[in-house]
Every structure is written in structure tokens, then in C-alpha cells.
Amino acid sequence: GAGVSQSPRYKVAKRGQDVALRCDPISGHVSLFWYQQALGQGPEFLTYFQNEAQLDKSGLPSDRFFAERPEGSVSTLKIQRTQQEDSAVYLCASSLDFRGGEQYFGPGTRLTVT
Amino acid sequence: QQQVKQSPQSLIVQKGGISIINCAYENTAFDYFPWYQQFPGKGPALLIAIRPDVSEKKEGRFTISFNKSAKQFSLHIMDSQPGDSATYFCAARRGSARQLTFGSGTQLTVLP
């Protein structure tokens, strides 16, 4: 289909609330990535899926962050007990093959924790 | 540890001029070097990418120059246009991993 889509585009959460961010990758793309982009900075890797398997979660900043891709397509990034330092844009990217080359990014979800 | 260093942080160029953005990397295991363009409120979009077995790659007005011995690569935008005004990110990936390591970005402004 079209490109990578993400929802919601904007999310405001009170400190301590849980949030769930959704990513719909390009149909048929094997690899899916989550990145965190702080204001004025480059994206930083959070986690990677190959189909439904989470192969790398080394970038998740704490155990409050959890991601899943149960059927190998849509993915959800969940943040529990949000903190102010979690405020950022969360980007999802997908890639056709398992090597992760040519990653196509969604528009991101801007999370603001108040 | 900042594995990919990008400069300058901001760049102002006149319409029709050449924009040059530089990146340097530390990890010699990197084997794929893409450049992304990002407009406000949008996700990064892949512009052009190079692998270390070539020294230059050109696509339209965009050229990547790659210097493996110096561990540096750069993006050249020829005939810069106001529509090119955006933030540009270099990135790198090492073969055993899949994720990209990004530079800190360059905000390009092309004056009409």
C-alpha cells in the first residue's frame, strides 16, 4: 500500500500514564524498527523486529518500554508510567528484506509528557 | 559515544549554490551509508546511499563522496533550491546489525 503510517500523530500524557503507539509498516516488509528522536537530534534506535520476532531491543532505555509485533505486520510500542524524559518523536521504519537496508520511515508520533 | 559526527549544524546557501554536509565515522565495520532528508512534522526520507566499495554516487542533483581511508563521507547538493530547505541526516549501518546510527543533523536553508 502507501507508506508507513503511525497513530496517533500526537499524544499528550500526564506523568505516570501508560501510552501505546501504533505502527503500520509497508505491506510485505519483513523488518520493522522503532527509533526515538529528541528535539533537534537524529533518530536513535530502540528496537528491531524481523517478522514477529524481536531480534534486538538493545536501544530500549528502560524496562518501562515494551514493543510487540504479534502477527509480523502491525507493531505497537508501549511506554508504561511515562516520565517527562520520554517526551520525543517516536519513529517507525520498515524495510523489505531482513538486512534492514533502505528503511522507509513513518511520520512519527510526537509524545509530550506533562 | 557518538559514532557518526555530522557538520555543520546549520547551513545557509543562496539559490543555485552548492550545499555541502560532512560526516565522519569511527566504526570501520560500517558498510552502508545513507542520507536522509526530513521536513518539519515528517519522518526522514531516504535521499541517496552508498557502500564503501565506491568513492562517489550521483543521483540527480545529489552526490555522495566517500573517503574510506579518512572514514568520512559527504553530501553535495548542486543547484540548491528553496525547496531543499530541510534537515539532513547522515547515517551508517554495520553489516552484523540492521539498525541505522544517525548523525545529529544539519539544518539547511536555501535563500531565494
Side-chain angles (χ1 to χ4, degrees):
Chain A
V4 178
S5 61
Q6 293 186 245
S7 61
R9 291 294 316 278
Y10 304 92
K11 177 70 178 178
V12 179
K14 292 187 186 301
R15 190 163 60 97
Q17 283 185 331
D18 298 349
V19 298
L21 312 180
R22 176 187 170 107
C23 172
D24 285 80
I26 295 172
S27 178
H29 277 200
V30 169
S31 298
L32 186 146
F33 303 82
W34 284 97
Y35 292 85
Q36 181 189 60
Q37 186 174 26
L39 188 64
Q41 299 296 316
E44 292 193 356
F45 170 75
L46 294 176
T47 187
Y48 161 70
F49 290 86
Q50 183 179 316
N51 295 309
E52 69 278 4
Q54 188 175 21
L55 298 186
D56 189 340
K57 52 182 180 180
S58 62
L60 295 177
S62 77
D63 58 8
R64 296 186 294 104
F65 286 70
F66 171 77
E68 60 183 6
R69 193 187 185 196
E71 297 179 356
S73 55
V74 172
S75 178
T76 303
L77 176 67
K78 297 179 180 178
I79 308 173
Q80 297 177 325
R81 304 181 304 282
T82 53
Q83 303 294 315
Q84 282 195 318
E85 61 263 28
D86 300 335
S87 295
V89 174
Y90 291 86
L91 294 164
C92 176
S94 70
S95 175
L96 179 61
D97 62 29
F98 68 91
R99 293 198 69 240
E102 293 206 10
Q103 296 182 23
Y104 297 89
F105 283 80
T109 294
R110 179 176 295 278
L111 173 64
T112 302
V113 181
T114 60
Chain B
Q1 180 185 7
Q2 189 179 4
Q3 295 198 51
V4 180
K5 294 183 179 180
Q6 185 171 345
S7 64
Q9 188 174 4
S10 62
L11 180 62
I12 299 175
V13 173
Q14 293 286 342
K15 177 182 175 181
I18 302 174
S19 304
I20 302 174
I21 304 171
N22 301 298
C23 282
Y25 63 96
E26 299 166 4
N27 192 337
T28 56
F30 287 142
D31 66 353
Y32 172 73
F33 302 89
W35 283 89
Y36 281 82
Q37 178 190 57
Q38 186 174 31
F39 292 103
K42 306 290 187 183
L46 179 64
L47 264 181
I48 186 172
I50 197 168
R51 297 189 185 276
D53 52 345
V54 298
S55 60
E56 186 174 283
K57 182 175 181 180
K58 182 177 180 179
E59 290 185 1
R61 296 185 294 110
F62 301 93
T63 299
I64 299 180
S65 296
F66 186 84
N67 186 329
K68 188 174 181 178
S69 61
K71 294 188 288 185
Q72 295 176 347
F73 58 111
S74 60
L75 175 69
H76 295 232
I77 305 174
M78 312 300 287
D79 187 26
S80 299
Q81 300 296 313
D84 296 332
S85 297
T87 301
Y88 293 80
F89 293 96
C90 62
R93 188 197 68 197
R94 55 186 171 89
S96 59
R98 278 85 169 182
Q99 68 267 30
L100 296 172
T101 299
F102 283 84
S104 55
T106 296
Q107 187 167 351
L108 171 66
T109 301
V110 180
L111 300 177

